[in-house]
Amino acid sequence: MRRYDVRNKGLGKKTAVLAAVAVLGFTGPITGVQGTVLFGSTEVSAYAAEDMLGYENPEKIIIATPNSNNYSTTASKISILGACDYRYPLTMNGEPVETTEYGFFTVYVTLSVGENVFLFENGENGHRLVINRKKSASGGSSGGGTSAKYKAVANKMGELTLPYTMPYSAPGTVKIDYLPLTQNTTFRIVGEWGNYYKLPDGTYVPKSAVKVYSYKMPSNKVSKAKVEYNKNTHTVETTFSMKMDALYDVQVDGDKVKFVLYDTTSGGSVSVPDNPLVSSVSRKTDGNGRAIYTYQLKDGDKLCGFDVFTKNGTMTFVLKYAPVLKQQGSLEGAVVLLDAGHGGSDNGATGPMGVQGPVEKDINLDLTLRVKKELEEMGAKVITVREKDTYYTLNERVELIREIKPDLSISIHGNSMGVTSDYSLSSGFLTFYSYNNIQDAAGVINTSVNETMGYPKRSIRKANLSLTRLTACPAVLLETAFLSHPEDYEYLLKSSNREKLADAIAKGAKDYLESVAVYEQSVRKHTVKRGETLSSIAKKYGVTVDAIVKANNIKNKNVIHTGSVFVIPAK
């Protein structure tokens, strides 16, 4: 709802209503009328229609964007974004400006070369904004010389020094082609191109992320490969012992996963303990000098993430199983991580009120805590990156997700556009992801939220974002609305809207988790009858003899007694 809409002559109608009130002599608040307007001794009191997060009527003109009253640019057009006292109409250079119910506005202006003056008036308040448009630099090469050229490198090796490094198909590209590499990954440097090193797999990493050793990479062999199942995180974890943490790749193909180690010879016998995800692991060294460990999955649809860690001279490859829920209709058993974007010294995007009103970090936190409450009521265990106005780096947020290994990670943000864009044209809810080759969390959540809220249907968007390009679990980033759009900003400030949106996000998370979940079976018990063996009992229930032995702590599997009661484990 817009408070003053010139195209619909809303301004004239509003003035007429208030004038009529004055003529009739009312001196108290008028139900349904917002604003305090004086007509002699008559006053109509201002009040907010509903709770607005941290909002107070500014009673003056705020220009949030551009962020300087003497702003310079070479652009021919920019957006002006701001707020004003919602009790009065707003004009710019004498022309009416459309505002929202609470006085938020944007104007997309054309600039002449030189000084452009914009005078805003709102009640008794005025604001003078000067925008200086400079001439664009003349044409010509911006490179300032010859471009960098590729050159081969020999007898050098590198080690990644950052927690999570993104390799690229070519220097400077931003397309997501490859998986991120973990800290301490070591490799031959086969070439360099400008500020990038080339790796044996053909990818490039920034030189700033690499510690260089000027000698030939020694031979590397896996001496031991130990496979374990972690029941707490539902992960199958293989720890490889070798001299160096080799450059690696992960290839997922249906019910097979290949863990490839470059410049490494395979070794170590691999035995697989009882687990719900992996049935066997085979190994080989191929003709290109790569150790390949192939994991045969029991059900490829139940793989919900993977990751690689290095510690104390070992490399651990982790495969994540689907969420295990207690029962239908409940999220008990699921672990969800919620990340409220920005915080502390990092405001994130600012809306029409600039820093004088709620900014992105405030909205993100409020919405995240509401989602947390909803998910907990559904039975999920929820872990939050922050629950107050605290600053965390992107690396700290990513490392927390990798450590927790949740069933789902959701990062909640607000969107914004650059000053040269027309702010009025970009609005609404968006879902971002980096990898969707494991499970379609982004698609399920996006569809669910849009349908629940009645938003226009929008496709999910692939992006190279720190909080989505991790592979430890399905990870999405939700841009709830555009703070640079006055109506979107006002929408997010209203508590009733945030509550509805929180409900929708929680429902979307539930829809995803239930779409891939497995459920704990009720405890089954079997009373041994005369003539039965563990083998016949195991066959009857479709489980292994070893599983029954382990579940019941049987000392001698060749001796069982009639009348004994055994717990039958889940398949």
Side-chain angles (χ1 to χ4, degrees):
M1 173 183 176
R2 291 178 170 83
R3 182 167 175 79
Y4 297 108
D5 191 335
V6 176
R7 290 173 297 183
N8 294 324
K9 300 183 179 178
L11 175 59
K13 291 181 181 179
K14 187 66 176 182
T15 304
V17 170
L18 294 178
V21 169
V23 170
L24 291 174
F26 291 109
T27 57
I30 305 299
T31 302
V33 177
Q34 293 176 319
T36 301
V37 181
L38 300 178
F39 295 92
S41 61
T42 303
E43 179 178 301
V44 179
S45 299
Y47 65 91
E50 63 174 288
D51 179 37
M52 300 273 283
L53 176 68
Y55 168 80
E56 291 184 7
N57 183 17
E59 300 186 2
K60 62 179 181 178
I61 300 171
I62 296 173
I63 301 297
T65 304
N67 57 7
S68 169
N69 284 329
N70 194 9
Y71 182 75
S72 295
T73 181
T74 58
S76 60
K77 291 184 177 182
I78 69 166
S79 281
I80 299 173
L81 178 69
C84 65
D85 188 333
Y86 68 71
R87 298 172 296 180
Y88 306 101
L90 175 71
T91 62
M92 182 185 76
N93 294 343
E95 295 295 322
V97 175
E98 181 180 321
T99 70
T100 67
E101 182 180 5
Y102 288 98
F104 307 137
F105 66 89
T106 186
V107 186
Y108 195 48
V109 297
T110 301
L111 305 175
S112 302
V113 174
E115 186 177 86
N116 297 263
V117 178
F118 300 94
L119 180 61
F120 291 87
E121 295 181 291
N122 172 230
E124 296 182 353
N125 297 313
H127 187 101
R128 186 173 185 268
L129 172 66
V130 177
I131 301 176
N132 294 291
R133 180 186 170 192
K134 300 178 180 180
K135 290 183 178 180
S136 300
S138 58
S141 173
S142 60
T146 58
S147 59
K149 294 182 180 180
Y150 174 80
K151 62 179 180 180
V153 173
N155 298 326
K156 276 189 178 182
M157 56 183 286
E159 179 183 1
L160 293 179
T161 59
L162 301 180
Y164 228 34
T165 299
M166 200 71 194
Y168 300 103
S169 57
T173 59
V174 294
K175 181 181 177 183
I176 308 167
D177 295 313
Y178 302 99
L179 302 176
L181 297 172
T182 197
Q183 192 170 14
N184 301 326
T185 298
T186 306
F187 48 85
R188 283 183 297 120
I189 297 175
V190 300
E192 60 179 307
W193 190 350
N195 294 320
Y196 294 82
Y197 286 125
K198 187 177 182 180
L199 280 55
D201 62 356
T203 63
Y204 292 82
V205 293
K207 289 181 176 179
S208 58
V210 180
K211 181 178 181 180
V212 178
Y213 300 92
S214 296
Y215 50 79
K216 184 178 179 180
M217 184 170 176
S219 60
N220 195 40
K221 181 178 180 178
V222 175
S223 60
K224 184 179 180 181
K226 183 179 181 181
V227 184
E228 296 179 302
Y229 176 59
N230 187 325
K231 291 183 178 180
N232 294 324
T233 56
H234 301 298
T235 52
V236 176
E237 305 176 2
T238 307
T239 301
F240 296 90
S241 299
M242 48 192 167
K243 289 181 180 179
M244 292 168 292
D245 301 317
L247 175 65
Y248 61 89
D249 187 21
V250 180
Q251 301 168 5
V252 181
D253 183 12
D255 61 356
K256 287 184 173 61
V257 178
K258 291 183 178 180
F259 185 52
V260 182
L261 298 167
Y262 284 78
D263 296 316
T264 301
T265 302
S266 66
S269 59
V270 185
S271 61
V272 180
D274 185 43
N275 73 89
L277 182 59
V278 178
S279 60
S280 63
V281 180
S282 62
R283 64 178 177 85
K284 71 175 183 179
T285 304
D286 71 1
N288 295 316
R290 303 180 305 174
I292 301 178
Y293 289 79
T294 301
Y295 292 73
Q296 179 62 54
L297 306 181
K298 296 178 180 179
D299 184 353
D301 289 338
K302 298 308 177 186
L303 176 64
C304 289
F306 55 81
D307 207 348
V308 179
F309 296 89
T310 58
K311 184 179 181 180
N312 299 329
T314 62
M315 175 176 274
T316 301
F317 177 48
V318 179
L319 292 172
K320 172 76 174 175
Y321 187 51
V324 180
L325 305 184
K326 295 289 184 182
Q327 60 186 7
Q328 296 278 352
S330 170
L331 291 185
E332 185 179 358
V335 178
V336 180
L337 186 139
L338 297 178
D339 168 47
H342 306 282
S345 59
D346 178 9
N347 286 329
T350 56
M353 299 188 75
V355 295
Q356 299 181 55
V359 293
E360 184 189 351
K361 68 174 183 178
D362 305 317
I363 298 170
N364 294 343
L365 181 58
D366 179 274
L367 188 55
T368 297
L369 295 178
R370 291 173 188 263
V371 176
K372 177 179 185 287
K373 179 176 179 292
E374 292 297 323
L375 286 172
E376 287 179 337
E377 290 179 356
M378 294 175 181
K381 178 181 179 180
V382 180
I383 297 170
T384 53
V385 172
R386 67 182 182 99
E387 292 197 2
K388 55 185 179 180
D389 188 18
T390 310
Y391 175 75
Y392 293 97
T393 66
L394 289 175
N395 279 339
E396 287 173 331
R397 295 168 195 255
V398 169
E399 287 307 300
L400 178 62
I401 298 171
R402 296 180 68 197
E403 177 186 347
I404 297 299
K405 302 178 184 66
D407 296 305
L408 175 65
S409 169
I410 300 176
S411 188
I412 294 176
H413 284 253
N415 218 333
S416 186
M417 297 297 291
V419 68
T420 58
S421 301
D422 184 346
Y423 289 164
S424 68
L425 300 181
S426 297
S427 64
F429 177 86
L430 293 172
T431 302
F432 288 89
Y433 74 101
S434 293
Y435 306 108
N436 238 23
N437 59 333
I438 298 298
Q439 298 291 350
D440 187 22
V444 173
I445 293 172
N446 183 67
T447 297
S448 181
V449 171
N450 284 326
E451 289 181 352
T452 301
M453 296 298 294
Y455 292 158
K457 184 177 180 180
R458 280 182 169 174
S459 299
I460 56 177
R461 303 194 178 191
K462 189 172 185 178
N464 185 15
L465 304 173
S466 295
L467 272 301
T468 59
R469 68 187 180 211
L470 52 88
T471 61
C473 65
V476 298
L477 185 146
L478 307 179
E479 297 280 12
T480 55
F482 282 77
L483 276 71
S484 54
H485 191 284
E487 288 184 343
D488 270 23
Y489 179 73
E490 184 167 286
Y491 178 90
L492 287 177
L493 292 194
K494 294 183 178 181
S495 294
S496 60
N497 292 333
R498 293 196 309 282
E499 188 65 24
K500 292 174 186 175
L501 185 52
D503 289 346
I505 293 171
K507 179 182 179 298
K510 184 173 186 285
D511 288 346
Y512 161 70
L513 291 167
E514 290 182 336
S515 73
V516 296
V518 295
Y519 293 89
E520 290 187 4
Q521 298 181 5
S522 57
V523 176
R524 297 177 296 173
K525 294 184 179 181
H526 178 84
T527 302
V528 178
K529 299 180 179 63
R530 184 181 298 275
E532 286 187 319
T533 64
L534 280 181
S535 179
S536 64
I537 296 171
K539 184 176 180 180
K540 177 179 178 179
Y541 291 99
V543 298
T544 65
V545 170
D546 287 343
I548 296 177
V549 169
K550 183 177 181 181
N552 295 275
N553 195 27
I554 298 172
K555 303 301 183 183
N556 186 348
K557 64 182 178 181
N558 295 315
V559 179
I560 61 174
H561 301 283
T562 302
S564 297
V565 179
F566 292 153
V567 172
I568 306 300
K571 293 181 181 180

